[in-house]
Amino acid sequence: MFKRFLHNKTAVITTALILAIAVLGILAPWIAPNDPYENDIINKFAAFSLEYPLGTDHLGRCVLSRMLFGIRPTLGLAALTMIGTIGLGALMGLLAGHFGGIVDEVIMRVVDVMLSFPSQIMVFAVVALLGIDVRNVILANVFIKWAWYARMIRTGVVQYRDRNFVLFSRCVGMPEHFILFRHLLPSIAADLAVLSSLDIGWAIINISTLSFLGLGVQAPIPEWGAMLNEAKNVLTTNPVQMLTPGIAIVAVVTAFNLLGDALRDVLDPKETQV
Amino acid sequence: MIELQHINVSFRNELQKKLFGTERKKVLRDISVRVEKGECLGILGESGSGKSTMGKVLCGLLKPDNGEALIEGENIYSSRKGRKLLRDKISVVFQDYTTSSNPRFHIKDIIGEGITVRERKTKKKIERKEEVARLLTLVGLDETYANRFPHELSGGQLQRVCIARAVACDAEIILLDEAVSSLDAHTQVQIMDLLIELKNKLNLTYIFITHDLTSITYFCDRVLFLNNGRVTEVTKTSNIGAVTDEYALKLLHSIIDFMEEENHAAECV
């Protein structure tokens, strides 16, 4: 599989780009040219210069430094959201698909209820109920998204649980964990990887949207969505302020989407040349 | 060795006449049969006659509504000892070789699953690489196949891999559910010859489910005719010409007529 990954240019380039961004986020305190919180009101909206490579914002803070520090909440929160979503969704989906019967019915009806709500409204409702906080943003995103994963994983499990290779394992008495973790989970892993890499883009946008609306990451913490929120106030006078966080969000989300496409090819063994 | 006593199986009708109806369709009716060690029992019937359902009951995958499925006197479904005995002694080869092997596994992992079963039974570690190579050779393939994926093999080769996996379990009984039906005539003969060779070498017991009379006569000691979920006749393959049951005779004649027409067509060509 690793060989197939290395032979897929899109997979390699997008992974390299995402890893590079993540490393920049980790190393932000050492490579950022300025303090991202330091105000310099005299220098507000400064143009690109050696001291401020991407200029300064409306409070005279270094945009590049804020961009670098902003990687942490943007990617970190998206990753946490996806881990929570996939974890809960996979558990529920596996339970429903594997055990069937009443367990399946109960879980799937809850999923139906969850899917019937408009997702954005639900996020606002959850954040409004729990209060404005980063943890609540993650909880809200997991809360509205787990049902999609539960349904998809349950469908995958049901699709594969009556395949002959699973029946063979049952017939010869292989333990349930072998069937679950060696047959069923890897069979749906490709779909899961593709969907989650596409959805991590959704999570980034969603977290940025919440920050943009003032419900997510709060000022003065640097976050790309929050930076867009601050830039929108000066959209007509200083439109350049929108460019940096805007381009960064588009680039990362596109990278994750392309990675999702590439992973679908990489994880399909039929793509191997004979 | 393995025995069914008055087995009845029914499935819920998908199209119910009443709302929340509980109508059931009977698939197997009062099936009784005994398979002795070392024999090959053929189960013959048309599509929908209940052959595969009977196979599922025999290999512990479908609990019957009533009746007893026994292995060495122990009940397969109600006794833990019976269930363990069955799992230790039975293995299965399915008709559809494409779904019989996990498409994400290498051939060595597919056969490796059978080896794991044997390791669990004997509680002894087996050298994987050598054993996979030995089993591949046993079914007429070489060890270079070990690192391939199922989709890189032909139907006949993949069915051989499934047979190798069944043999790897060190099972005494192998249930062959239409195991050669989806292969071409030449490959069918090759696989059946291989199965006969393995049976003699390893003293295996076969339960051979098929709708093809020719392969039954080529391969089995006894044949059980199944019609609409009922056993209509059980006879030795050598006495197949002397069947008395109406359905068995009808089935026999239709196959013979078909074969004669086929031969005539071949002569014309």
Side-chain angles (χ1 to χ4, degrees):
Chain A
M1 196 178 79
F2 190 62
K3 249 186 197 172
R4 282 207 300 274
F5 180 85
L6 288 181
H7 280 104
N8 191 315
K9 278 180 201 163
T10 318
V12 173
I13 293 169
T14 49
T15 310
L17 180 69
I18 292 163
L19 281 178
I21 293 170
V23 169
L24 284 177
I26 293 165
L27 299 177
W30 295 278
I31 56 171
N34 297 293
D35 182 348
Y37 298 102
E38 195 186 328
N39 293 355
D40 185 2
I41 209 79
I42 302 164
N43 252 335
K44 69 175 184 179
F45 302 127
F48 300 169
S49 65
L50 271 180
E51 195 187 353
Y52 301 110
L54 291 176
T56 58
D57 65 4
H58 65 293
L59 293 174
R61 297 172 296 194
C62 174
V63 172
L64 177 63
S65 304
R66 289 184 68 75
M67 284 294 300
L68 290 172
F69 274 90
I71 294 170
R72 295 173 159 205
T74 310
L75 275 190
L77 291 181
L80 277 178
T81 303
M82 291 319 293
I83 290 168
T85 309
I86 294 171
L88 186 62
L91 179 72
M92 291 302 178
L94 277 176
L95 286 176
H98 192 65
F99 291 106
I102 188 82
V103 181
D104 185 22
E105 284 296 327
V106 170
I107 294 175
M108 281 305 110
R109 294 303 74 79
V110 174
V111 165
D112 285 342
V113 171
M114 294 305 302
L115 294 182
S116 63
F117 288 112
S119 59
Q120 216 59 45
I121 306 289
M122 275 292 277
V123 173
F124 297 150
V126 173
V127 175
L129 272 174
L130 299 175
I132 297 169
D133 184 29
V134 175
R135 266 178 307 179
N136 296 341
V137 169
I138 297 173
L139 273 179
N141 280 319
V142 173
F143 187 67
I144 58 153
K145 204 68 186 173
W146 73 269
W148 291 91
Y149 281 81
R151 169 143 291 177
M152 194 206 79
I153 289 163
R154 184 246 180 210
T155 309
V157 172
V158 168
Q159 189 188 340
Y160 286 101
R161 75 176 173 196
D162 291 329
R163 290 277 167 103
N164 286 340
F165 59 85
V166 176
L167 290 183
F168 175 84
S169 297
R170 288 233 164 83
C171 178
V172 296
M174 287 303 276
E176 286 299 313
H177 65 81
F178 179 89
I179 296 172
L180 221 57
F181 296 111
R182 291 279 285 138
H183 282 317
L184 296 179
L185 259 187
S187 298
I188 54 172
D191 294 339
L192 198 60
V194 174
L195 191 66
S196 54
S197 58
L198 293 173
D199 272 346
I200 202 162
W202 166 86
I204 290 171
I205 290 177
N206 217 18
I207 290 162
S208 297
T209 309
L210 285 173
S211 304
F212 181 81
L213 296 170
L215 297 170
V217 179
Q218 297 300 300
I221 300 168
E223 198 273 339
W224 294 353
M227 287 171 75
L228 268 181
N229 183 25
E230 287 163 359
K232 82 165 190 301
N233 300 326
V234 289
L235 180 64
T236 45
T237 51
N238 270 293
V240 182
Q241 292 286 314
M242 302 286 282
L243 283 181
T244 321
I247 290 171
I249 292 171
V250 169
V252 173
V253 172
T254 309
F256 274 113
N257 283 343
L258 288 174
L259 178 65
D261 268 359
L263 276 180
R264 190 190 50 212
D265 298 338
V266 170
L267 292 168
D268 185 358
K270 287 184 183 161
E271 291 291 317
T272 317
Q273 294 299 311
V274 181
Chain B
M1 188 179 193
I2 190 163
E3 193 177 357
L4 298 182
Q5 290 177 352
H6 309 292
I7 292 287
N8 286 289
V9 173
S10 62
F11 296 135
R12 189 177 181 275
N13 242 350
E14 287 302 317
L15 296 168
Q16 297 284 340
K17 283 179 187 159
K18 290 178 189 167
L19 188 67
F20 304 120
T22 53
E23 273 179 34
R24 296 182 77 82
K25 184 179 186 284
K26 285 199 170 179
V27 182
L28 291 182
R29 301 154 198 255
D30 197 28
I31 301 279
S32 294
V33 67
R34 185 180 165 82
V35 187
E36 297 298 338
K37 190 173 165 63
E39 86 161 326
C40 176
L41 173 77
I43 300 174
L44 187 73
E46 0 170 73
S47 298
S49 58
K51 304 186 296 289
S52 292
T53 308
M54 191 172 161
K56 277 187 177 164
V57 173
L58 277 165
C59 63
L61 292 172
L62 181 70
K63 193 178 177 190
D65 297 347
N66 47 47
E68 283 193 284
L70 307 167
I71 183 160
E72 294 180 353
E74 294 288 338
N75 194 307
I76 294 167
Y77 292 97
S78 61
S79 135
R80 186 173 283 199
K81 193 181 167 194
R83 204 156 43 242
K84 189 176 180 314
L85 257 177
L86 180 80
R87 285 171 176 175
D88 285 352
K89 286 184 188 291
I90 206 163
S91 187
V92 62
V93 179
F94 295 102
Q95 173 185 17
D96 186 359
Y97 44 81
T98 52
T99 61
S100 289
S101 44
N102 191 330
R104 291 173 194 284
F105 279 16
H106 284 107
I107 300 303
K108 62 182 175 193
D109 300 320
I110 294 168
I111 299 176
E113 190 179 341
I115 299 172
T116 309
V117 173
R118 199 192 321 162
E119 281 179 339
R120 285 165 58 87
K121 277 185 213 169
T122 57
K123 296 191 170 55
K124 275 183 195 161
K125 192 99 185 105
I126 298 166
E127 185 51 54
R128 281 296 163 107
K129 206 176 161 192
E130 285 170 15
E131 187 58 12
V132 169
R134 186 187 75 81
L135 285 160
L136 281 171
T137 318
L138 192 71
V139 294
L141 299 170
D142 60 69
E143 56 187 292
T144 54
Y145 285 85
N147 285 317
R148 294 199 192 175
F149 281 106
H151 69 270
E152 295 173 358
L153 269 61
S154 71
Q157 288 170 334
L158 198 52
Q159 198 62 306
R160 283 166 191 266
V161 169
C162 293
I163 293 168
R165 176 179 62 180
V167 171
C169 299
D170 204 15
E172 290 175 28
I173 309 164
I174 298 184
L175 183 105
L176 303 150
D177 186 358
E178 306 260 20
V180 294
S181 303
S182 50
L183 302 169
D184 62 82
H186 178 64
T187 319
Q188 272 191 11
V189 175
Q190 277 187 346
I191 297 278
M192 282 194 286
D193 284 340
L194 168 70
L195 288 167
I196 293 169
E197 193 189 321
L198 290 173
K199 182 175 182 288
N200 296 334
K201 212 184 270 182
L202 307 168
N203 193 25
L204 298 170
T205 305
Y206 287 148
I207 300 166
F208 188 69
I209 296 171
T210 187
H211 58 262
D212 180 16
L213 183 72
T214 335
S215 46
I216 289 252
T217 47
Y218 189 81
F219 192 61
C220 299
D221 304 316
R222 276 196 307 154
V223 53
L224 178 149
F225 288 90
L226 204 63
N227 179 27
N228 201 17
R230 279 186 210 282
V231 176
T232 54
E233 187 154 352
V234 185
T235 179
K236 283 192 173 171
T237 316
S238 49
N239 291 339
I240 203 160
V243 288
T244 52
D245 177 74
E246 201 182 326
Y247 166 74
L249 272 170
K250 213 170 109 188
L251 194 69
L252 216 57
H253 285 308
S254 65
I255 293 165
I256 290 165
D257 287 349
F258 176 72
M259 282 168 74
E260 276 175 0
E261 270 175 37
E262 215 177 31
N263 287 341
H264 179 68
E267 277 168 19
C268 290
V269 172

